[in-house]
Amino acid sequence: MPAITKDAPLQTVITTFETTPGTCQDLLEALEEAYELFISKQPGFIGAGLHVNDAQTRIANYSQWQRREDFQAMLRTPEMRARNRAINELCKSFEPVMYEVGAVFG
């Protein structure tokens, strides 16, 4: 994944998943499988990272795409729609949000 830079010609998506300690590992494995087998192979995919909080009640996903349309096209595929229905069963909620880098430090 490229370094985080301001004005980079790419789309950043941060998705947060609210889960429970009892389902956190299952959700993490479902997300890992989705990236390994499907998402990482989609046009425009650059890279991603999964982050779990200490309490195992939240997973944050940071992903980068060449274009907004690439991310949206991936979400509309029948395979990702099915995966998202299964992922939804493992968490209380999840929300992908597109961002532009406002500032970088370090």
Side-chain angles (χ1 to χ4, degrees):
M1 185 176 341
I4 300 171
T5 59
K6 190 172 179 177
D7 300 323
L10 53 84
Q11 182 66 58
T12 300
V13 181
I14 299 174
T15 306
T16 55
F17 301 83
E18 185 179 352
T19 189
T20 65
T23 58
C24 184
Q25 188 60 39
D26 294 333
L27 176 57
L28 183 61
E29 289 172 6
L31 293 168
E32 288 173 353
E33 179 181 276
Y35 271 102
E36 289 173 13
L37 300 179
F38 182 71
I39 300 171
S40 65
K41 295 169 178 36
Q42 298 309 295
F45 176 79
I46 296 171
L50 295 168
H51 311 268
V52 180
N53 72 337
D54 288 346
Q56 294 190 337
T57 56
R58 290 201 175 271
I59 294 176
N61 171 222
Y62 179 95
S63 65
Q64 292 182 324
W65 296 81
Q66 290 177 358
R67 302 175 314 129
R68 171 185 296 260
E69 295 81 11
D70 295 328
F71 175 74
Q72 292 170 331
M74 178 275 300
L75 287 178
R76 287 191 294 268
T77 63
E79 179 162 349
M80 198 61 218
R81 290 171 58 144
R83 285 182 182 276
N84 276 339
R85 284 190 292 275
I87 287 167
N88 192 50
E89 295 294 319
L90 296 171
C91 61
K92 296 176 184 177
S93 66
F94 71 97
E95 180 181 16
V97 180
M98 295 186 186
Y99 292 89
E100 291 183 14
V101 177
V104 177
F105 305 94

